[in-house]
Amino acid sequence: MTRVKAPSKGEAASPTLKTLRFVLGDQVSHEISSLSGLDAQRDVVLMVEVADETTYVGHHKQKIAFIFSAMRHFAAELTATGVTVDYVKIDDAGNAGSFTGELQRAVVRHAPDRVVVTEPGEWRVWEMMRVWSSELGLPVTIEDDDRYFCSRGRFARWAEDRKSYRMEFFYREMRRETGLLMRGDEPEGDRWNFDTENRKRLPATVHEPNRRRFEPDAMTREVLDLVAIRFSHHFGDLDGFGWAVTRADALEALEHFIRACLPLYGDYQDAMKADEPFLFHAVVSPYLNAGLLTAREICVAAERAYQRGEAGLNAVEGFIRQILGWREYIRGIYWLRMPGYADTNVLGASRPLPWFYWSGETDLNCIANAVGDTRRNAYAHHIQRLMVTGNFALLAGIEPRQVEEWYLAVYADAYEWAELPNVHGMALFADGGLLASKPYIASGAYIDRMSDYCGPCRYDPKIKSGPNACPFNALYWNFLIENQNQLGKNARLAMPYRTLAQMRPERRDEIVREAGAFLAGLSSQPIEPSAIPVQATLDV
Ligand code: DLZ
Ligand code: SF4
């Protein structure tokens, strides 16, 4: 429950001040630092639904519905404990449409002595926050977001004087610091990483368990009706909305994952299957990133499953690494490198985003599946994001900014601190290798090995040239040819570059010609606008 009246940072020095506590949509946690020391008799909690946050990218309908509903449920929980919550709905008269505008109006309404807020998840909002104090003429305290294992300052210290920021070393420090999966100073099982035992092909007979979905209550139904009308032109389906919107339900979803999915999580972590969009993934990232679950409780629940013998170390270590290692690491990189990080484009990628990222209408069956899953669920798992839509965007030289906007819009878990390094660095190599030691590129053979997408596809991953050849094949070699100056010396690409060097010149010419013809045929516009139900791009 909310940390009512717990003495905290700075609070003891100002016990009689009336404080306006501003809670953002991805901070719906009773443990959030901006609520620390809250005095229910005196303070006011401010929460606002604002147009700017819904349209700075054209978010998926389910993402908006999830955030609004989680915010409204959280406000109701606070109110039920006697806290005064000033909740501004998107359709309320006079809604200023922005965080700054709504904060200004709330200051007029409540005349607080000061404002307390927790640092945001996006640079854009951080820039707004930094001038609130001077704009409002009031003290504004920006608290650290202590939901993370590693603070921004702690990560900066880790990164100091390092030439390379490889995640693996950061992860080991986090394991030692938290004691997760440790036996004294040694890693459980005497290894830090068990990936050699993971990432198997999915047998046709193995199916995903039924996922725990949550029937919308009256409050969520009201939000769904609002979103259906006000955001009708946004990407994505609303039907079948089954996200948890309270902490209690999110805990149930977590418990279901640990019990029914975690044991096979490692084995099939990289597998993809048509019409089984979740496989054995946790699907708790929207809850974690919005504040309904904490990173620590998720890791502890997974560790406990290992200790009880309910899940193997390969699965549990692989899963904990995603949260304790990768998630903390990319957040650290984001804050270390912003704002310049978003501007790099070392491969000079400049093509517009193909329209099929929005419509899903393409004869590339793997893309059609990944986009279809995304439209239905506001979710696709890691390997669909990295090795299908990300891989294609990298091979096709799509401009990073357009790809990033797409990922930020379409996934229910996407906030820029998480999305940008994953897409810009990991998927697109636009940072030149700060995050990834090589570009994550793959031809049709990889997608064929890891999925059942290729069987029904009109292309064949085994055919290298001609009209039936999988386009990923020519694009793969064409990418290596086009970027040889940048990538030719990358040790991890030595093998494909050796193969390329041995290729006959006529074959290279054929690759460049076929890839060029395919890329020239990509359209960033709907082919038949009337047939496309949604205009899904920016509506600002
Ligand atoms: C993503 C989002 C959306 C769609 N709407 C709101 C909103 O109306 N009010 C709000 O407080 N937060 C919203 N959010 C989440 C914010 O965009 C998020 O808090 C910032 O991007 C900082 O991470
Ligand atoms: Fe994708 Fe190529 Fe497989 Fe078709 S054949 S599903 S385009 S990888």
Side-chain angles (χ1 to χ4, degrees):
M1 274 289 113
T2 307
R3 301 188 273 190
V4 176
K5 267 195 167 163
S8 83
K9 308 151 194 166
E11 196 68 20
S14 52
T16 57
L17 296 183
K18 176 176 180 179
T19 304
L20 184 63
R21 299 177 181 273
F22 193 4
V23 176
L24 308 186
D26 55 353
Q27 300 177 344
V28 290
S29 160
H30 292 281
E31 298 297 316
I32 197 77
S33 53
S34 56
L35 295 182
S36 184
L38 180 142
D39 183 333
Q41 305 303 316
R42 188 190 56 194
D43 296 345
V44 175
V45 172
L46 176 68
M47 298 181 73
V48 300
E49 297 170 4
V50 287
D52 280 6
E53 294 306 306
T54 61
T55 54
Y56 70 92
V57 292
H59 301 285
H60 193 298
K61 293 190 197 82
Q62 284 191 36
K63 181 179 183 184
I64 300 175
F66 164 69
I67 290 170
F68 280 14
S69 184
M71 287 173 70
R72 290 183 185 193
H73 280 87
F74 183 68
E77 285 175 13
L78 284 177
T79 306
T81 63
V83 173
T84 305
V85 181
D86 183 355
Y87 192 98
V88 180
K89 289 186 175 169
I90 190 124
D91 286 335
D92 282 354
N95 187 322
S98 68
F99 281 152
T100 302
E102 275 308 303
L103 181 58
Q104 278 165 340
R105 290 195 333 132
V107 164
V108 171
R109 279 196 299 277
H110 301 290
D113 299 302
R114 62 170 196 152
V115 172
V116 174
V117 64
T118 294
E119 62 185 339
E122 303 200 343
W123 182 266
R124 171 185 72 78
V125 182
W126 174 247
E127 288 203 304
M128 285 179 219
M129 264 185 199
R130 283 195 302 190
V131 294
W132 279 349
S133 184
S134 58
E135 282 182 358
L136 298 168
L138 265 183
V140 175
T141 306
I142 304 177
E143 297 282 8
D144 277 3
D145 191 341
D146 57 12
R147 289 177 292 171
Y148 297 90
F149 289 105
C150 180
S151 70
R152 287 162 59 175
R154 165 77 181 86
F155 190 85
R157 283 195 299 284
W158 175 79
E160 219 167 40
D161 301 331
R162 256 169 220 271
K163 283 207 190 70
S164 127
Y165 302 141
R166 293 286 167 251
M167 192 279 289
E168 193 61 33
F169 300 113
F170 170 77
Y171 167 58
R172 291 178 192 180
E173 280 196 21
M174 289 291 104
R175 289 269 298 273
R176 286 197 178 99
E177 265 180 37
T178 58
L180 281 161
L181 290 183
M182 295 295 291
R183 268 178 198 262
D185 288 339
E186 296 306 315
E188 188 68 46
D190 297 323
R191 269 190 287 152
W192 294 102
N193 181 314
F194 291 82
D195 269 353
T196 46
E197 293 159 38
N198 286 334
R199 305 177 171 176
K200 302 186 172 91
R201 288 182 74 150
L202 186 71
T205 50
V206 175
H207 293 283
E208 68 176 19
N210 276 336
R211 298 311 288 223
R212 186 75 183 83
R213 308 289 281 171
F214 300 86
E215 196 57 36
D217 64 6
M219 195 179 270
T220 300
R221 282 200 304 276
E222 191 181 313
V223 169
L224 291 173
D225 290 345
L226 167 93
V227 172
I229 294 167
R230 187 173 172 129
F231 301 100
S232 61
H233 56 300
H234 280 225
F235 174 78
D237 300 340
L238 265 184
D239 312 337
F241 181 99
W243 295 106
V245 291
T246 62
R247 173 164 166 75
D249 282 353
L251 281 168
E252 249 193 60
L254 172 63
E255 193 275 326
H256 180 259
F257 161 70
I258 299 284
R259 189 171 32 80
C261 309
L262 180 60
L264 290 181
Y265 167 85
D267 286 0
Y268 304 125
Q269 197 178 350
D270 282 8
M272 298 175 278
K273 197 171 169 76
D275 302 322
E276 299 196 28
F278 307 121
L279 287 175
F280 299 93
H281 291 270
V283 202
V284 295
S285 48
Y287 312 141
L288 174 59
N289 292 353
L292 295 178
L293 296 176
T294 71
R296 192 174 297 276
E297 73 196 346
I298 293 174
C299 290
V300 166
E303 185 185 44
R304 224 174 265 145
Y306 166 68
Q307 288 163 344
R308 290 195 191 123
E310 292 159 5
L313 193 50
N314 65 317
V316 172
E317 186 283 316
F319 178 69
I320 286 180
R321 181 162 15 100
Q322 298 309 315
I323 294 178
L324 177 65
W326 185 249
R327 181 172 183 268
E328 297 284 326
Y329 167 78
I330 54 138
R331 176 175 183 264
I333 293 280
Y334 178 80
W335 288 109
L336 192 68
R337 288 300 175 116
M338 280 302 278
Y341 188 67
D343 297 331
T344 53
N345 184 3
V346 300
L347 301 180
S350 60
R351 275 195 189 79
L353 188 77
W355 182 254
F356 56 59
Y357 274 77
W358 299 113
S359 70
E361 291 179 352
T362 168
D363 51 14
L364 304 164
N365 193 40
C366 48
I367 302 255
N369 270 278
V371 173
D373 287 348
T374 301
R375 190 176 44 223
R376 277 185 295 279
N377 303 313
Y379 178 87
H381 64 71
H382 153 80
I383 213 72
Q384 292 175 297
R385 297 190 205 192
L386 182 66
M387 297 313 291
V388 177
T389 42
N391 180 30
F392 183 87
L394 174 59
L395 294 179
I398 311 299
E399 189 194 4
R401 211 172 279 279
Q402 298 191 37
V403 185
E404 287 146 24
E405 182 188 307
W406 183 81
Y407 278 91
L408 192 55
V410 303
Y411 292 116
D413 52 21
Y415 303 93
E416 200 184 61
W417 69 264
E419 171 277 322
L420 190 72
N422 269 311
V423 179
H424 194 82
M426 188 68 184
L428 301 181
F429 206 70
D431 62 6
L434 185 79
L435 237 82
S437 52
K438 62 161 190 166
Y440 277 78
I441 50 171
S443 65
Y446 173 85
I447 296 174
D448 192 25
R449 190 165 64 250
M450 297 315 296
S451 78
D452 63 355
Y453 295 151
C454 298
C457 184
R458 95 144 202 64
Y459 298 109
D460 186 334
K462 295 189 186 65
I463 301 180
K464 305 291 176 218
S465 66
N468 295 326
C470 167
F472 279 84
N473 294 340
L475 288 177
Y476 174 87
W477 291 111
N478 182 65
F479 173 87
L480 290 170
I481 293 168
E482 272 191 350
N483 295 295
Q484 187 144 14
N485 283 344
Q486 288 280 348
L487 304 174
K489 295 208 163 49
N490 184 310
R492 296 196 63 198
L493 293 177
M495 213 150 70
Y497 271 116
R498 258 200 308 278
T499 309
L500 194 63
Q502 287 158 7
M503 221 175 246
R504 285 177 295 112
E506 310 84 72
R507 173 65 185 135
R508 284 175 71 116
D509 291 348
E510 183 181 52
I511 286 167
V512 172
R513 201 172 52 247
E514 289 196 354
F518 176 83
L519 292 170
L522 294 176
S523 173
S524 59
Q525 297 299 320
I527 298 153
E528 290 175 68
S530 60
I532 308 288
V534 287
Q535 204 289 328
T537 51
L538 279 176
D539 61 358
V540 281

